[in-house]
Amino acid sequence: MTKKRILDTPKFKEIVKFICCIIVILSYNAGNAQPDVEITYTKSERGYTVYAENKEYCPIMVKLNFNTNNLRVVRGNNRVHTVKANRKIPITDLEVENKNFPYSFSYNYATNFGKNNTKKYDKDYEYYLPYASTESFEVVQGYNGSFSHQDKNALDFGMPLNTPIMAIRDGVIVKVIENNDIACLEKICAKFNNYILIYHTDGTFAEYTHIKKDGSTVKKGDKVKKAELIGYSGNVGWSSGPHLHLVVYLQKMEERETIKTRFLIDSGEKSEFLEEDKVYSRNYQ
């Protein structure tokens, strides 16, 4: 990725580009996931129009910071913009303030998955348990757990290696990491997490972590239904033993808002928030 500095003069009307390193600031995503986005610009009589192209299957956020000389940032500097899936939109215009003098700009940008400032989502949605019908597993670490869930609404299901993992809700696959086979008890091993990331229609994400190496049955861009097989459990990354780490969240520009969610249990006639050290059965299709 590059940072570009553009210099224009009224005499020659030519663009000179200086390439140096870009400063990219990314909020946390498991596996250091970065959205696929391209920043471009076109020249006009007034200055420039800057565009962001989202090449992902879900909305993304883009935050640009401009350093300008004799140019005005029309829509405001250092703002967060939301770009819909597989769309290209103009982010802002840079207008020349005085055409009798040279003008230039440089920029850096940050990106993340999700919609900016999403607050409304389906709080009453009843999720499926993330395993096959007739199966039962224990929640070995619950919300705000003591090992790695401090101040996080995440769940760990203790399950043997190669246990089929099912989607808890309809959605689209936006990220799959399955190339790692390293595990340890230290947080540094989080960079080796294998996971599947799914985007839901209400703006939330579900992340299924610690799947085995090459353990995904889905790929980026696939649409999945709840209860559909998406992969197999493993013991990869920051892990103390075979299990599935599951978290539902809203992504903000620089942090996640993890969410407590209700799951259908037993025959599926009731739902509840899951608790640590309890075993939950799924006896519904």
Side-chain angles (χ1 to χ4, degrees):
M1 305 175 81
T2 59
K3 177 181 177 182
K4 299 181 180 179
R5 181 174 182 270
I6 311 304
L7 175 66
D8 236 325
T9 64
K11 181 178 181 179
F12 298 106
K13 297 296 183 184
E14 61 183 8
I15 301 176
V16 182
K17 299 181 180 179
F18 299 92
I19 307 300
C20 59
C21 64
I22 189 168
I23 302 172
V24 181
I25 305 170
L26 292 168
S27 58
Y28 171 78
N29 274 323
N32 296 318
Q34 298 180 14
D36 187 359
V37 59
E38 183 178 6
I39 307 299
T40 57
Y41 55 88
T42 58
K43 194 173 184 305
S44 65
E45 291 185 0
R46 293 185 176 183
Y48 301 91
T49 299
V50 181
Y51 300 85
E53 183 177 1
N54 176 9
K55 300 180 181 181
E56 297 289 351
Y57 291 90
C58 70
I60 65 165
M61 297 169 283
V62 181
K63 183 178 181 180
L64 284 105
N65 179 37
F66 293 95
N67 292 308
T68 63
N69 175 40
N70 195 25
L71 288 167
R72 180 175 67 90
V73 184
V74 173
R75 296 186 181 93
N77 199 9
N78 213 28
R79 290 181 56 189
V80 178
H81 304 266
T82 298
V83 188
K84 293 181 180 179
N86 296 302
R87 293 281 297 274
K88 180 179 180 179
I89 66 168
I91 293 293
T92 192
D93 293 308
L94 305 176
E95 292 188 351
V96 179
E97 294 179 322
N98 189 334
K99 293 188 177 182
N100 294 320
F101 294 93
Y103 49 92
S104 63
F105 74 94
S106 62
Y107 64 89
N108 57 61
Y109 66 97
T111 63
N112 216 327
F113 292 99
K115 299 178 182 179
N116 186 35
N117 293 326
T118 298
K119 296 180 180 179
K120 293 184 179 180
Y121 62 94
D122 189 354
K123 297 181 180 179
D124 298 321
Y125 189 86
E126 296 177 315
Y127 289 81
Y128 273 35
L129 288 168
Y131 36 86
S133 181
T134 72
E135 294 279 20
S136 299
F137 293 102
E138 181 182 1
V139 175
V140 294
Q141 187 178 195
Y143 296 137
N144 196 33
S146 59
F147 175 61
S148 60
H149 294 180
Q150 296 92 341
D151 301 318
K152 295 179 183 178
N153 293 315
L155 298 168
D156 284 346
F157 295 88
M159 53 178 58
L161 297 175
N162 299 316
T163 300
I165 298 170
M166 310 301 183
I168 60 176
R169 184 175 181 176
D170 297 357
V172 60
I173 307 296
V174 296
K175 198 79 175 180
V176 175
I177 300 293
E178 58 176 345
N179 61 301
N180 297 306
D181 60 1
I182 297 173
C184 76
L185 293 173
E186 304 300 325
K187 190 174 182 179
I188 190 173
C189 277
K191 64 184 178 181
F192 300 117
N193 285 344
N194 289 336
Y195 66 94
I196 299 168
L197 183 62
I198 299 180
Y199 177 72
H200 308 138
T201 55
D202 67 347
T204 59
F205 293 85
E207 185 178 282
Y208 307 72
T209 306
H210 307 304
I211 65 171
K212 73 173 187 176
K213 187 177 188 298
D214 300 321
S216 175
T217 61
V218 293
K219 64 183 185 302
K220 182 177 175 179
D222 287 349
K223 293 182 179 180
V224 297
K225 296 292 186 180
K226 60 187 176 183
E228 183 176 338
L229 176 68
I230 59 172
Y232 294 91
S233 65
N235 180 30
V236 179
W238 185 17
S239 177
S240 59
H243 73 287
L244 171 67
H245 174 87
L246 177 66
V247 57
V248 177
Y249 64 91
L250 289 172
Q251 182 66 60
K252 301 181 182 300
M253 191 63 211
E254 297 179 357
E255 62 180 6
R256 289 179 173 183
E257 179 186 344
T258 57
I259 299 169
K260 290 184 177 181
T261 50
R262 302 184 69 89
F263 287 85
L264 294 169
I265 62 172
D266 299 328
S267 63
E269 295 180 357
K270 64 177 180 178
S271 65
E272 62 182 55
F273 296 110
L274 306 189
E275 298 180 17
E276 191 170 306
D277 298 328
K278 287 189 176 182
V279 175
Y280 294 93
S281 299
R282 179 186 157 198
N283 296 311
Y284 52 86
Q285 298 297 322

